[in-house]
Amino acid sequence: MDILKIIKEVINSFLTSSLISKLILFISAFFAPVYELYILLIFLVSVDYLMDLGVWFFKADKQTTKVWDVTKPFIVKLIMYSVLVITVNSVQMHLIKEAFELFKMVIAIPIIAELLGIVATVERYTGVRIVDKLKRYLGSWTKNNEINNP
């Protein structure tokens, strides 16, 4: 009998909750299977935005560039990436199923793009050439592996 009371209470709480709570619940149901990559993407977008906001705050001419010019791309990215995640995940779940990982392949593209955006900002304002150093390290690593494994 206790389980019936718990189920009844959950249903009653859901029905009496606000529209926003119901909407958040349904949206989270769509994001549940893709939670990890979606959170990573949103994290990278947020880090990129915070870095751009910091650059704007400390370096930009605040008379010609307003904070909205920095914030607008962030909001657009959040909306567009969320739509991308929902649609690609829906296609993966309902059309492709287990044939291959379309979702991971498609979502990897904006994740890499956001990572490169962060690296470009760091390179631009610190002068440290991260990509060049990484290429050099990877080149020497592959040469060492070729020598060790002929």
Side-chain angles (χ1 to χ4, degrees), residues 1-11:
M1 283 295 200
D2 286 333
I3 294 185
L4 275 164
K5 286 181 182 179
I6 293 172
I7 293 172
K8 193 177 197 181
E9 184 67 31
V10 167
I11 291 172

Side-chain angles (χ1 to χ4, degrees), residues 59-96:
K59 299 232 180 203
D61 181 18
K62 292 176 184 63
Q63 300 298 330
T64 58
T65 306
K66 302 296 181 197
V67 72
W68 177 248
D69 296 332
V70 178
T71 305
K72 183 179 175 184
F74 170 69
I75 294 171
V76 169
K77 282 181 184 180
L78 285 180
I79 293 169
M80 291 299 165
Y81 287 157
S82 296
V83 169
L84 177 74
V85 166
I86 290 172
T87 56
V88 172
N89 184 47
S90 298
V91 169
Q92 176 77 45
M93 286 178 19
H94 300 291
L95 182 66
I96 299 173

Side-chain angles (χ1 to χ4, degrees), residues 8-78:
K8 193 177 197 181
E9 184 67 31
V10 167
I11 291 172
N12 189 30
S13 296
F14 176 75
L15 293 175
T16 59
S17 66
S18 68
L19 179 64
I20 293 174
S21 298
K22 292 175 188 172
L23 187 63
I24 289 173
L25 179 69
F26 287 123
I27 289 173
S28 66
F30 277 112
F31 288 127
V34 295
Y35 182 70
E36 183 178 329
L37 290 177
Y38 180 67
I39 294 299
L40 175 63
L41 182 59
I42 296 305
F43 172 75
L44 291 173
V45 169
S46 300
V47 167
D48 190 35
Y49 168 68
L50 290 174
M51 290 177 69
D52 290 343
L53 194 63
V55 167
W56 172 83
F57 184 75
F58 291 113
K59 299 232 180 203
D61 181 18
K62 292 176 184 63
Q63 300 298 330
T64 58
T65 306
K66 302 296 181 197
V67 72
W68 177 248
D69 296 332
V70 178
T71 305
K72 183 179 175 184
F74 170 69
I75 294 171
V76 169
K77 282 181 184 180
L78 285 180

Side-chain angles (χ1 to χ4, degrees), residues 71-136:
T71 305
K72 183 179 175 184
F74 170 69
I75 294 171
V76 169
K77 282 181 184 180
L78 285 180
I79 293 169
M80 291 299 165
Y81 287 157
S82 296
V83 169
L84 177 74
V85 166
I86 290 172
T87 56
V88 172
N89 184 47
S90 298
V91 169
Q92 176 77 45
M93 286 178 19
H94 300 291
L95 182 66
I96 299 173
K97 302 196 189 262
E98 304 293 324
F100 63 96
E101 291 290 333
L102 174 72
F103 178 77
K104 287 183 180 180
M105 290 180 352
V106 171
I107 298 303
I109 296 168
I111 288 174
I112 292 169
E114 289 300 321
L115 181 63
L116 291 176
I118 292 169
V119 170
T121 303
V122 169
E123 283 183 349
R124 190 177 322 120
Y125 292 101
T126 63
V128 177
R129 297 285 172 210
I130 298 171
V131 175
D132 293 339
K133 288 186 179 188
L134 184 61
K135 285 180 184 176
R136 193 171 50 220

